Amino acid sequence: MLGRLWQVQVVDGDRYARAASEDHVRHVVIPAVRGRIVDSHGEPLVRNRTAMTVLVDRTVLTGLPDEGRAVLRRLAALLDMDPREIGDRVRLCSEKASQNCWAGSPYQPIPVAEAIDERVAFQIVERPDDFPGVIAEPQPVRDYPHGALAAHVLGYVAPGDEPSTGSASVGRDGLEATYEKELRGRPGSRELVVDSAGRVLRTLKERPATPGATLVTSIDTRIQRITETALERAVARARAQGRPADAGAAVVMESRTGRVVALASLPDYDPSVWVGGIAPDDYARLTRDDGGGPLLSRAIQGQWAPASTWKVVSTAAAVDAGYPLRGTYDCSSVYRVNGWDFRNYRGADHGRIDLRQALAVSCDTIFYRFAHEMWRKNPSGHPMQRMADAFGFGRATGVDLPGEAAGHLPRKGWERPGDAVNFSIGQGEVLVTPLQLARAYAALANGGTLFSPRIGKKIVGADGRVLREITPPVDGRLPVGRRTLAYIRQALAEVPKTGTAAAAFAGFPLDERPVAGKTGTAEVFGKQDTSWFASFDKRYTVVVMVAQGGGGGETAAPAARDIWSGIYRLKERR
């Protein structure tokens, strides 16, 4: 016994002393102030504002006779919250409870409600006997100065489950999620000495938090607002004509850089509903099956048949397969395949025309013939499929937003020629997102470079230093010759002048501001047509889609015209 006592006190004395001390030292994470998100001109899109926040100190509650249950019931009544919800928020995460719990330190005050009315906060402050362990103080919370503007780009923050962040909120969607690490900043730390009952005795040391960085984006707030307004008006016009028009999307890109200037989606939502914890009614409204799915970004997650906007792919494939670029072809009203009639849109017969006219008037039968003849030569590996893959379809663009859809491109050969025929006009098995179509048309405009689009431009530290520049990567080159690209651009320039978008662009100053584009009207089984218009000039690419919106020239093209007019500040009379 004497030997063991000597070993414990003398030989291992320092080790046991350190262990005893560490048992009574608790580490608390100090959350950092989240960084801002600004547009290309430095205007805030997301910032922080000071709001009253209610926090609960568990170390005080656990020392009460009922472990604070009565306090939490009174607090829930004051905040008009379900007592079980507050109970979940202050409950510590464990193996049995890994969700709807607090993952941070038990010695750190736990936020249970943000952005509360100051009159409610004063009741907590003035009644400490009724609310022991409850703190009401101003803290930074997320603020969206433009409301729902660019909601699907920005995303939102929600309660996190990582103890290391020390933060009640982390990015859950949009740029908030993609650039979470940079926006979050670096949490600080505090070491507290506590007694055997868990009461804090003193602070040993403290390291302050480093604020999150600012994310500078390529979004132009003015053009974003113009784009959203044009899309809303297009949907309203379609509904006034008796069409459902239940969803829409629009994209504006810089053709030569791959930067996204505006990205809109309908239906939308206001990300501020997440501030302070989303109310159950709001969450149900955003997620219920009949609510239209406002959390879904149609621009990057919605997938539709591209219809005649696809004909630029079919044209490039036909020329690559040996069809003369400047030849003439029969645009008959019907093309027959194995006894089946494939008709031109509304049965139009334009006679013998060249490819430029075929794109301008959106002749279907010429492309039916191309696809059928190619299929007969090689049914297992169709040239239009290979060209579509080179245009970037059938895979995600890699944009810096989470949850992007890949679209759908058939990879195997077709057993039936009718599948190839439908494919040639953007129907059948092919599905694209509006962003995929935008980057493909941007490649047409810029001479063939296919970018992986980016919204983030640079990361700027709290001290003003540029920490990182963000450049859209090059994702490939179109295997299309310069002459063919130039020919297609010239052909698409006729669409707003004399082609299928002429009515939508009547009176637009095309001589001063030349715009090229292509309409698309996609047939959908059991629903009304999807309306498309993809367009570009030397600087921008603009794509508009309205689901169940009718013809491309009737709904999407006028919306695109409104966007172009807004971009160049044109004062039009229509």
Side-chain angles (χ1 to χ4, degrees), residues 123-395:
Q123 291 187 56
I124 295 172
V125 173
E126 293 172 354
R127 296 159 56 191
D129 293 339
D130 290 338
F131 299 104
V134 181
I135 305 162
E137 63 182 19
Q139 287 197 349
V141 297
R142 258 349 206 180
D143 181 49
Y144 303 88
H146 302 290
L149 189 78
H152 295 94
V153 175
L154 303 174
Y156 58 90
V157 296
D161 53 9
E162 298 180 29
S164 60
T165 69
S167 174
S169 299
V170 296
R172 293 298 191 191
D173 197 13
L175 297 176
E176 292 273 27
T178 300
Y179 295 96
E180 164 65 20
K181 182 179 178 181
E182 293 85 352
L183 292 168
R184 178 199 304 168
R186 189 178 67 187
S189 64
R190 182 182 297 123
E191 292 187 1
L192 305 175
V193 177
V194 300
D195 62 16
S196 58
R199 291 185 291 266
V200 177
L201 302 178
R202 67 181 185 276
T203 300
L204 278 182
K205 59 181 178 180
E206 183 173 320
R207 177 175 60 82
T210 302
T214 295
L215 172 63
V216 180
T217 73
S218 55
I219 295 295
D220 186 311
T221 299
R222 185 184 71 86
I223 296 177
Q224 177 72 32
R225 184 172 286 109
I226 289 166
T227 301
E228 292 191 13
T229 301
L231 186 60
E232 290 167 0
R233 291 162 75 180
V235 167
R237 282 195 297 264
R239 289 177 177 174
Q241 296 168 356
R243 300 188 178 98
D246 52 0
V251 180
V252 181
M253 285 180 62
E254 291 178 350
S255 302
R256 297 185 180 279
T257 69
R259 296 194 184 278
V260 177
V261 178
L263 187 146
S265 176
L266 287 178
D268 61 2
Y269 69 99
D270 188 339
S272 63
V273 300
W274 298 91
V275 175
I278 189 167
D281 288 347
D282 287 330
Y283 185 78
R285 174 177 55 82
L286 293 178
T287 57
R288 67 173 183 251
D289 292 339
D290 60 348
L295 295 180
L296 181 73
S297 174
R298 266 68 182 183
I300 69 166
Q301 296 171 314
Q303 303 173 96
W304 293 270
S308 291
T309 62
W310 190 253
K311 288 173 181 173
V312 296
V313 175
S314 300
T315 300
V319 174
D320 188 60
Y323 289 90
L325 180 64
R326 300 186 181 279
T328 59
Y329 306 92
D330 184 21
C331 181
S332 57
S333 61
V334 177
Y335 181 75
R336 175 159 289 196
V337 178
N338 291 355
W340 290 88
D341 286 344
F342 289 82
R343 298 185 179 278
N344 230 345
Y345 184 61
R346 293 178 178 172
D349 185 343
H350 295 283
R352 202 160 182 85
I353 58 177
D354 59 17
L355 289 177
R356 184 178 63 179
Q357 292 172 293
L359 288 171
V361 300
S362 202
C363 175
D364 291 337
T365 50
I366 286 177
F367 295 99
Y368 292 153
R369 180 175 283 103
F370 288 160
H372 187 206
E373 291 174 355
M374 290 179 188
W375 180 86
R376 285 190 296 195
K377 291 179 181 178
N378 188 2
S380 62
H382 204 283
M384 288 185 182
Q385 287 176 290
R386 294 194 295 270
M387 186 61 69
D389 183 71
F391 266 73
F393 296 107
R395 65 179 186 272

Side-chain angles (χ1 to χ4, degrees), residues 6 46 197 328 415 552:
W6 177 79
V46 185
T328 59
E415 295 182 1

